[in-house]
Amino acid sequence: MISAHKVCRERLGWRINRMAEFGASADGGVNRQVFSDADRAARAELNSWATQMGLELYTDPIANQFFRLMPKGVAADMAPVLTGSHLDSQPTGGPYDGVYGVVAAFEAVQALIDCGAVLKRPIEIVAWSNEEGSRFAPGCMGSMCFTGARAIEEFADTCDADRLRLGDELSKTLLSHPAMQQRDFGQSLSSYIELHIEQGPILERLGKPIGVVSGIQGCRWFNVTINGEARHAGTTPMAQRRDALRAAVGYLSDLQIALQDPDDATRFTIGRLDVSPNTPNTVPQQVSFSIDLRHPDTEELNSLTERIHTVLSQQQQGCDAVCEEIFKHAAVRFHEWVIAAIQTCAKGLDLAYEPMVSGAFHDALFLADYCPTAMIFVPSQGGVSHHPSEFTHLTDLYDGARLLAATLEHTATSTVEIQASKRTENSTK
Ligand code: HGY
Ligand code: MN
Ligand code: MN
């Protein structure tokens, strides 16, 4: 684990602050949404770091970025250990979500280079495209396309709030990093390790610096559209209206009741609500809203989904609701070998850790179907994330990076083929 001692705290802090400049907002947060100019600038910065470190640069049809450390004497077809996370942020995001896992991976690989670790596998750093799904829904597009869970063709015509097409924004991004060699989805991998902030309160409450993540809860996203009739607000009697917003209020109230959970294990969020034509004196013609539903138990997740369909199958105010599922993944349990590797290295570094399941999803949700996968968490102050005040102490960021370096050293000096990586044929829709 000599590499852990070569991780540089100051350089790590500098890298975090440097990346926070891309999409920086006045309130200390970031707005670096996928395929935006800020995202493209952040991607270029990674390319310059990788070039300075002598890493090979690769990308794929959805602009995932891969940076490969190819140790001397290692066969080119030896499956690499992959580590990383995502650069894209929420519109009102913080400076650590996703990007910390990418930056710490660069710091860990630099430490491995600096200590002259004798590796038997390549190591690749990845920055996945569009993990958040805030500009173009759904999230995890980059990892879903890489693993075969979804086809990129499904997403090309998705538009953002300004009616810009994903396909066009993606092309601009691919053209912005010409130095990256193109390669197909589905490269073979030995294992995947993702370091991330916890985005919840558990580690801070327990006073532990590390979470060893054994899995991620299940998650399903829906888009609901309600069609009514646009009419004059002053002349149309209430009894003759098909008001899409009044209908939406009825649906939302019935959904809240139907999804009540005395155990508070269910996570049900209506994060986006659009009204059209969205003017004070026209009866709303159409309303669309998002549903983000999560639960640690897949059967329960599916039964909650049935309750949603039952509520949305009723009419409200003479209007119907159309519900489209755009994202779905069952709860996953990560691979024991990778979990054990992280635990062994945490013990070796004398870092106290808490075994835990992730409430947030990550690209590891899809990589877990593809190859042996596990995650490492560091604490989030106040459990806050997806907010500009997201914060993690540099000491914790440093401990996480040291553990990542040690785990990469541990897994990349093993030629044990735990399990061949495999493409997910079935769609997750
Ligand atoms: O939504 C999530 O769980 C992730 O933070 N994008
Ligand atoms: Mn994230
Ligand atoms: Mn996030």
Side-chain angles (χ1 to χ4, degrees):
M1 284 188 275
I2 45 174
S3 57
H5 307 297
K6 284 284 188 183
V7 170
C8 175
R9 182 196 172 103
E10 290 65 36
R11 187 173 52 199
L12 177 67
W14 175 85
R15 292 183 195 273
I16 291 276
N17 294 336
R18 176 65 179 141
M19 294 310 283
E21 291 172 18
F22 301 107
S25 41
D27 53 10
V30 293
N31 178 6
R32 187 174 56 240
Q33 298 189 69
V34 74
F35 304 150
S36 61
D37 290 341
D39 181 31
R40 285 186 278 271
R43 288 163 174 264
E45 179 75 5
L46 293 188
N47 286 349
S48 72
W49 294 358
T51 306
Q52 281 163 27
M53 291 165 66
L55 305 181
E56 298 165 9
L57 283 64
Y58 297 96
T59 190
D60 63 19
I62 199 164
N64 292 319
Q65 290 179 281
F66 299 90
F67 307 98
R68 185 181 179 92
L69 173 66
M70 191 64 207
K72 283 196 181 48
V74 171
D77 63 353
M78 178 63 94
V81 174
L82 182 70
T83 183
S85 191
H86 59 95
L87 287 185
D88 66 302
S89 78
Q90 287 284 318
T92 53
Y96 303 96
D97 177 0
V99 65
Y100 165 57
V102 178
V103 161
F106 271 88
E107 185 53 37
V109 166
Q110 183 66 62
L112 284 159
I113 294 170
D114 292 351
C115 74
V118 180
L119 303 176
K120 297 202 179 99
R121 289 187 177 284
I123 292 177
E124 289 197 3
I125 300 166
V126 61
W128 297 110
S129 290
N130 199 21
E131 187 277 345
E132 295 289 356
S134 47
R135 181 184 181 195
F136 298 108
C140 291
M141 272 191 198
S143 49
M144 289 199 288
C145 289
F146 176 87
T147 59
R150 298 285 285 277
I152 190 171
E153 294 74 19
E154 293 180 52
F155 303 128
D157 292 327
T158 308
C159 287
D160 68 4
D162 300 324
R163 308 305 305 155
L164 294 173
R165 260 183 87 250
L166 179 142
D168 300 332
E169 295 302 291
L170 169 57
S171 304
K172 267 163 81 176
T173 304
L174 286 167
L175 289 170
S176 75
H177 38 71
M180 305 196 86
Q181 297 174 59
Q182 266 283 353
R183 65 185 193 186
D184 287 340
F185 295 131
Q187 301 293 316
S188 78
L189 298 176
S190 162
S191 59
Y192 176 65
I193 298 149
E194 182 164 356
L195 171 61
H196 204 285
I197 54 171
E198 177 199 340
Q199 301 179 289
I202 297 168
L203 291 176
E204 184 183 56
R205 192 177 65 235
L206 296 173
K208 292 199 176 161
I210 295 291
V212 178
V213 187
S214 59
I216 302 179
Q217 69 176 338
C219 181
R220 297 177 77 158
W221 278 15
F222 305 90
N223 276 341
V224 180
T225 306
I226 301 162
N227 292 303
E229 273 172 346
R231 288 288 183 274
H232 193 292
T235 57
T236 313
M238 300 307 281
Q240 291 174 22
R241 294 182 180 196
R242 290 180 57 239
D243 180 332
L245 186 52
R246 282 182 74 192
V249 169
Y251 282 122
L252 293 177
S253 156
D254 290 354
L255 285 169
Q256 297 287 359
I257 294 165
L259 295 175
Q260 271 173 347
D261 173 4
D263 302 332
D264 196 9
T266 302
R267 299 288 178 267
F268 168 66
T269 310
I270 311 283
R272 177 186 56 76
L273 183 127
D274 297 316
V275 181
S276 169
N278 208 27
T279 158
N281 44 358
T282 298
V283 175
Q285 171 159 340
Q286 186 178 78
V287 167
S288 80
F289 60 84
S290 60
I291 295 179
D292 176 321
L293 177 71
R294 308 193 196 196
H295 198 284
D297 176 283
T298 302
E299 270 185 40
E300 186 57 24
L301 183 69
N302 295 340
S303 113
L304 291 163
T305 300
E306 285 319 303
R307 290 191 224 167
I308 288 174
H309 289 319
T310 304
V311 168
L312 296 178
S313 63
Q314 322 291 326
Q315 270 217 341
Q316 290 273 358
Q317 303 294 321
C319 301
D320 292 315
V322 176
C323 180
E324 182 199 3
E325 184 160 33
I326 61 169
F327 181 89
K328 173 184 175 185
H329 204 292
V332 289
R333 170 124 186 116
F334 290 144
H335 198 288
E336 295 309 329
W337 189 88
V338 189
I339 293 171
I342 297 169
Q343 289 172 334
T344 302
C345 294
K347 286 175 196 148
L349 292 174
D350 203 17
L351 286 170
Y353 64 83
E354 179 68 17
M356 57 200 301
V357 171
S358 177
F361 65 64
H362 306 278
D363 294 296
L365 183 66
F366 292 90
L367 271 290
D369 298 332
Y370 185 80
C371 68
T373 292
M375 292 186 74
I376 302 168
F377 276 172
V378 293
S380 291
Q381 190 171 59
V384 173
S385 185
H386 284 192
H387 187 272
S389 65
E390 179 182 276
F391 180 75
T392 297
H393 290 284
L394 182 55
T395 303
D396 291 327
L397 298 170
Y398 174 61
D399 284 343
R402 290 194 304 128
L403 178 53
L404 179 66
T407 308
L408 293 176
E409 188 180 344
H410 178 96
T411 49
T413 45
S414 158
T415 54
V416 168
E417 203 58 68
I418 319 156
Q419 169 193 313
S421 39
K422 63 182 182 334
R423 297 264 290 161
T424 316
E425 291 324 321
N426 60 317
S427 156
T428 50
K429 269 189 85 170

